[in-house]
Amino acid sequence: MADTRLPWELLPSLEENCLRVVATELLNVLYDTEKQLSTPLDDNYSRGTTTFARQKNRLTEMCVSGRYSWLKLTNPNMDLTFEINGIPVRFFSDNPDSPKKRGFFRHNAVDCLFAPSSDIPSLHRFVIEKPENDEEEARVHFIGYNDFEEPVSHWVYGDRVTVLQSVDSTAPESVEIMLDEIEVGKQYRKEEKNTGSE
């Protein structure tokens, strides 16, 4: 997402530590649910619906706990909306580069705060990006969209590690490692000293 800025650069009330707290909880629920629903009777549907419900309930719990003064619940329904320092936010599991979920760009009654603008985000979404394979980790994106549904701010939580794998059974050729003459001399003197002291 080129040409986007960090959320707090456009709206200072969207502090990184607040975004990090929410993103951490979304990922914790995702991983806990996947671990628990790993029986032969589970599939992507059972895991997906349970994960969504648990994430929704966890965010609701966080909002009403009183523990986070910057977090406020504004819509407890299935299209859960909460505020981070007064900014309405929703969450989805989707492709952050091309969201497809129904209602992703739809505003609900409490999800519309700003006047139309192409530079300032009027819609904020946490987007949970699930890993494509077992070697990757899930990530959470926080994206602000303008009224043309274009991303104008973007922050990512979680590392996406790429693991290199061989595509055939050919073993790589061995490479001889040449030691520096100084290091060889040090090692030789160390061995000689140890031998002489016995």
Side-chain angles (χ1 to χ4, degrees):
M1 290 187 190
D3 303 326
T4 59
R5 298 178 64 188
L6 292 167
W8 50 88
E9 292 176 350
L10 297 174
L11 296 168
S13 55
L14 291 172
E15 300 169 15
E16 184 175 17
N17 62 319
C18 299
L19 302 182
R20 187 178 303 277
V21 167
V22 174
T24 299
E25 290 302 321
L26 290 170
L27 287 183
N28 286 344
V29 171
L30 171 70
Y31 288 131
D32 288 347
T33 305
E34 285 184 348
K35 192 183 304 178
Q36 292 167 359
L37 301 183
S38 57
T39 74
L41 300 176
D42 291 301
D43 56 19
N44 288 339
Y45 178 78
S46 67
R47 283 186 288 272
T49 55
T50 305
T51 300
F52 171 80
R54 290 179 178 183
Q55 288 171 327
K56 174 185 166 296
N57 294 337
R58 178 65 183 124
L59 291 172
T60 301
E61 179 185 85
M62 290 170 66
C63 289
V64 299
S65 71
R67 184 175 173 197
Y68 307 98
S69 60
W70 45 268
L71 203 54
K72 177 184 174 187
L73 182 66
T74 53
N75 179 19
N77 298 318
M78 292 303 285
D79 56 342
L80 177 83
T81 307
F82 56 98
E83 293 181 0
I84 295 176
N85 286 324
I87 309 293
V89 177
R90 292 180 59 201
F91 80 99
F92 291 82
S93 285
D94 210 335
N95 178 346
D97 297 318
S98 180
K100 300 279 190 277
K101 289 281 173 77
R102 203 174 114 239
F104 187 92
F105 288 106
R106 182 181 59 79
H107 289 274
N108 61 30
V110 292
D111 190 25
C112 190
L113 182 64
F114 301 103
S117 169
S118 61
D119 300 324
I120 302 294
S122 59
L123 187 81
H124 292 90
R125 300 290 185 249
F126 277 102
V127 183
I128 299 107
E129 180 185 19
K130 294 182 179 175
E132 293 180 11
N133 57 56
D134 292 340
E135 283 77 33
E136 291 183 344
E137 297 289 326
R139 296 191 299 181
V140 176
H141 299 254
F142 185 76
I143 307 171
Y145 297 90
N146 65 17
D147 284 332
F148 305 104
E149 300 178 358
E150 300 165 335
V152 291
S153 66
H154 187 204
W155 172 81
V156 182
Y157 178 76
D159 291 328
R160 182 57 57 90
V161 178
T162 303
V163 177
L164 299 177
Q165 296 182 356
S166 176
V167 294
D168 61 22
S169 60
T170 307
E173 291 182 28
S174 62
V175 177
E176 186 177 344
I177 299 174
M178 300 299 293
L179 292 176
D180 176 319
E181 285 183 23
I182 295 171
E183 290 301 317
V184 172
K186 283 181 186 176
Q187 183 64 30
Y188 176 77
R189 283 192 299 277
K190 183 178 178 183
E191 288 172 3
E192 192 175 58
K193 183 178 179 183
N194 289 341
T195 306
S197 62
E198 289 178 354

